[in-house]
Amino acid sequence: MRVDVVTIFPDYLAALDLSLVGKARRAGLLDLRVHDLRDWTSDRHRTVDDTPFGGGAGMVMRPDVWGRALDDVMGATGDGGDDGPPAHLVVPTPSGEVFTQRHAEALATEEHLVVACGRYEGIDARVVEHYRATGHRVSELSIGDYVLNGGEVAALVMIEAVGRLLPGVVGNPESLVEESHGAAGLLEYPVYTKPPAWAGLEVPEVLLSGHHARVERWRRDQALARTAARRPDMVEALDPGTLDRHDLEVLAGRGWVVEDGRLRRSGDEPGEPHEPDGGTAAAVAE
Ligand code: 6GU
């Protein structure tokens, strides 16, 4: 996969030399190139922004500078030319759809991503409009409900999430199967290693038992209980048809019932959002 990142802070992306993503680059699995947006400015001050039409606070990034940069890194025609399909443009922005593992999985199938990191109040809206109109897929994505100063940290998050899904990047592909936000729709169960006693705390006995079926059942109970305590939105999204009787008992113990083929907190009026009770990890695991 090829990934081009355009930013006014190329040094921000230096972390992508490290760890798994850095290894993937050195192994030739990921061709990642970081570009300085100011290389496409034409004035003495290398200006990338200006005041917003309509007034208001802050500055907006100019479409002409972004257009020159993106035409260069994506290929100007958008028809893919002779070097593959048109690039998929990713624009990190707090006003985008929330980036999830599903987005990471979809982006990991692309041949060429271009990530446009905005700063200030964002990029002139015509940039996204123009690249959509010229045949590019464009994804405006947020990494969560909080505000960052620019798209660079979000780009790091997305590139790491996508990069580890590329074939050959994670040594043991099995480790991608059971993790949180996988297909089961549950958070991951708690994990333990040696020593078996530490700080007065014992590893749960079942994990030392060597009884594979009991370990699997315990882990699933823990995943269900954690998800119920921390992520009621994920419990609501579960298909009760994929749950066995024991699963439903664990959820019932946490106040979840099946009604009209969907999971619902008993006692809640349909349509009334549930107030999280702030349950701690310790309360979950017991
Ligand atoms: Cl993608 N950008 C900025 N500036 N802030 C964010 C974000 C992105 N996602 C969450 N907050």
Side-chain angles (χ1 to χ4, degrees):
M1 170 184 275
R2 174 161 167 187
V3 178
D4 288 272
V5 182
V6 184
T7 167
I8 59 167
F9 293 119
D11 291 347
Y12 235 116
L13 285 298
L16 296 174
D17 290 335
L18 305 175
S19 190
L20 219 66
V21 171
K23 211 172 141 196
R25 294 172 77 182
R26 291 187 293 277
L29 302 169
L30 176 64
D31 176 8
L32 176 71
R33 307 180 199 186
V34 181
H35 311 270
D36 187 342
L37 178 68
R38 292 192 202 275
D39 291 348
W40 285 275
T41 56
S42 43
D43 65 315
R44 203 161 56 85
H45 296 106
R46 311 228 290 164
T47 307
V48 294
D49 61 336
D50 213 320
T51 53
F53 281 123
M59 300 290 270
V60 176
M61 296 189 102
R62 292 176 58 107
D64 50 351
V65 179
W66 272 110
R68 286 192 293 270
L70 295 176
D71 282 352
D72 274 358
V73 300
M74 298 211 285
T77 61
D79 66 2
D82 44 16
D83 36 38
H88 188 141
L89 178 61
V90 174
V91 183
T93 167
S95 52
E97 274 178 39
V98 176
F99 178 75
T100 66
Q101 192 65 20
R102 305 291 88 76
H103 291 97
E105 287 160 1
L107 292 174
T109 69
E110 298 282 3
E111 272 176 44
H112 187 194
L113 300 179
V114 173
V115 186
C117 297
R119 282 262 147 183
Y120 317 114
E121 300 305 306
I123 302 173
D124 185 300
R126 290 170 292 182
V127 172
V128 161
E129 194 182 331
H130 170 69
Y131 286 99
R132 282 212 177 103
T134 53
H136 294 272
R137 269 140 325 133
V138 180
S139 298
E140 296 177 271
L141 297 172
S142 162
I143 60 163
D145 293 342
Y146 38 81
V147 179
L148 306 171
N149 288 328
E152 286 77 8
V153 168
L156 289 174
V157 167
M158 295 180 205
I159 292 167
E160 179 158 323
V162 170
R164 61 193 296 286
L165 298 179
L166 300 178
V169 172
V170 168
N172 177 6
E174 286 268 319
S175 65
L176 299 175
V177 174
E178 281 195 9
E179 63 194 4
S180 298
H181 304 296
L186 299 175
L187 299 180
E188 203 174 11
Y189 49 80
V191 295
Y192 301 86
T193 186
K194 290 172 274 301
W198 173 78
L201 301 170
E202 307 272 332
V203 170
E205 192 278 327
V206 58
L207 299 179
L208 310 174
S209 71
H211 196 303
H212 182 68
R214 280 181 55 217
V215 169
E216 290 297 294
R217 184 66 253 175
W218 182 87
R219 286 179 166 166
R220 185 155 175 93
D221 291 354
Q222 293 288 313
L224 286 160
R226 264 191 172 179
T227 308
R230 299 175 182 179
R231 293 294 303 274
D233 59 312
M234 290 175 67
V235 178
E236 274 167 20
L238 290 172
D239 173 1
T242 67
L243 304 176
D244 66 23
R245 214 189 48 184
H246 190 105
D247 293 337
L248 293 171
E249 278 169 19
V250 172
L251 290 173
R254 260 117 187 134
W256 289 89
V257 292
V258 178
E259 202 177 271
D260 301 328
R262 293 190 307 146
L263 280 152
R264 186 172 75 65
R265 279 196 63 98
S266 56
D268 281 2
E269 292 302 320
E272 291 273 322
H274 168 68
E275 286 294 324
D277 61 12
T280 63
V284 176
E286 109 302 315

